[in-house]
Amino acid sequence: MTYLIVTVFVLLRAIEPSSEEPIVNVTVIEGSTAVLPCSISHLSHQKIAWTDQWSTMLAYQTERIIDDDRISIHQPYPTQWNLQIQGVKYGDQGIYTCQVNTNPMKEQTVVLNVIGIGFKGEELVIHNVTRYCGGIYECLADNNVPPAVKKEIRVDVEFQPEIRLPTKRIGQSKGRETILECVVTAFPHAVSVWQFRGRELSNSWKYRIEVFEEGMYTKTLSLRIVQLDERDYGIYMCVASNSLGKITDTMELYELKIATKPTTVTSTTVSVTPGQLNRGEGRGHKALQSDTRVDSPLLTNTPSDGIYGEEDEDEIGLGQLDQRIKTYIHSAGANGKQAAVDSLNSASSIYLSSITCVVFLLPYIIH
């Protein structure tokens, strides 16, 4: 038996690398991160390289070649060799090429567009807009040939009201007046009111409501309350609303009570032991005592020449004091006048102090 052996040679042609998209446009905001895509399928032993529009090599395989640490290779999948540029500048825009060293060379082109301010096709894009983005913006055009031209553009950002209370609690005494303030920020401008116990307040003899402009979007709603009484204390509500929303906040008005110190009455008892100032002891009253003894013939109760008689039992009167002075001067001779004056000063002071003490203590003595 004869066998025929046939050898079949199969020539397999290697599949060459291919690119999915020949040209890609990428647009980013200046300062953000740009990712330039490069997707190569069926890559075997071939190598990948990135170049810019001036044919400067930026990266080879996964390694950065250029001395710019903003540039790197981002490879989320094995077939992707994306060029990533962080903190994009306006000067980064242009044409970038992803090359594969096949024969002939295959490449993928990416056009990077960077949006900024003050460049061709001036445009400002504001992301994540908040109320703080509103205001006056200025566009300036200058080609080094004076004069420069500028234009101002006002941007209004609509947002729901915001309320700020300078204080959450305020105190005031009865009979006085007070002012409650509510600061409201909104655009469009909010309708703002004060409410008390579910009732909207308006201008009257009791309330005075005023609005003060504080800025482009801010107003202060002031509530003046006069002649405060018990019914005015409680919780007041500030309400602000516009087409985008409504907000409320509360403030408490409480009675301010001023503490007063209790009145303390201090009394001082003064008495003179010798003389007529303690003569009331014989009438059932305890004699007032003193540690000070005043030796003066003007205050003694010793009869002299029979002037006093039975009236010595009574307290010294002004007439008796005058008579004693004259008698003392007559008996003392030339020095009697000065001595009488000195004694009179002491006697008058003690006499008046004693009268004051007696008047003050009289109600207690009676009881």
Side-chain angles (χ1 to χ4, degrees), residues 33 37 90 174 199:
T33 298
Y90 182 76
K174 291 181 180 179
R199 180 174 61 91

Side-chain angles (χ1 to χ4, degrees), residues 66-191:
I66 191 173
D67 187 19
D68 187 346
D69 56 7
R70 298 179 304 131
I71 295 177
S72 61
I73 297 297
H74 181 57
Q75 197 174 21
Y77 301 101
T79 59
Q80 294 184 352
W81 304 78
N82 303 331
L83 181 69
Q84 181 173 283
I85 306 176
Q86 296 180 338
V88 175
K89 303 176 181 178
Y90 182 76
D92 293 330
Q93 70 177 358
I95 299 174
Y96 292 80
T97 304
C98 176
Q99 301 174 345
V100 183
N101 62 342
T102 56
N103 188 16
M105 181 180 294
K106 292 181 179 296
E107 60 184 30
Q108 180 175 329
T109 301
V110 180
V111 179
L112 175 62
N113 301 296
V114 179
I115 297 177
I117 301 176
F119 302 100
K120 182 179 180 180
E122 296 86 351
E123 181 179 354
L124 172 64
V125 179
I126 304 175
H127 297 274
N128 300 322
V129 176
T130 67
R131 73 176 184 85
Y132 300 103
C133 297
I136 304 297
Y137 291 78
E138 183 179 270
C139 177
L140 177 66
D142 186 7
N143 61 355
N144 295 322
V145 178
V149 179
K150 65 180 181 179
K151 183 178 181 181
E152 291 184 347
I153 301 175
R154 172 173 171 172
V155 176
D156 291 319
V157 179
E158 295 186 349
F159 58 96
Q160 68 178 19
E162 299 175 1
I163 287 180
R164 179 179 64 84
L165 298 178
T167 180
K168 295 287 290 183
R169 300 181 73 244
I170 185 171
Q172 186 57 283
S173 304
K174 291 181 180 179
R176 307 190 69 177
E177 69 175 39
T178 190
I179 296 177
L180 311 184
E181 289 188 341
C182 176
V183 182
V184 180
T185 304
F187 187 83
H189 289 298
V191 177

Side-chain angles (χ1 to χ4, degrees), residues 221-273:
L221 185 64
S222 172
L223 172 63
R224 182 188 299 269
I225 311 172
V226 301
Q227 299 181 17
L228 291 174
D229 58 36
E230 189 67 31
R231 295 168 296 179
D232 295 321
Y233 298 114
I235 303 299
Y236 288 77
M237 178 179 293
C238 179
V239 183
S241 61
N242 65 5
S243 58
L244 300 178
K246 177 180 179 180
I247 189 172
T248 64
D249 205 349
T250 59
M251 181 185 299
E252 179 185 2
L253 174 61
Y254 63 92
E255 181 181 357
L256 182 63
K257 297 182 179 180
I258 302 177
T260 57
K261 294 183 178 180
T263 303
T264 302
V265 179
T266 303
S267 60
T268 303
T269 302
V270 179
S271 175
V272 179
T273 300

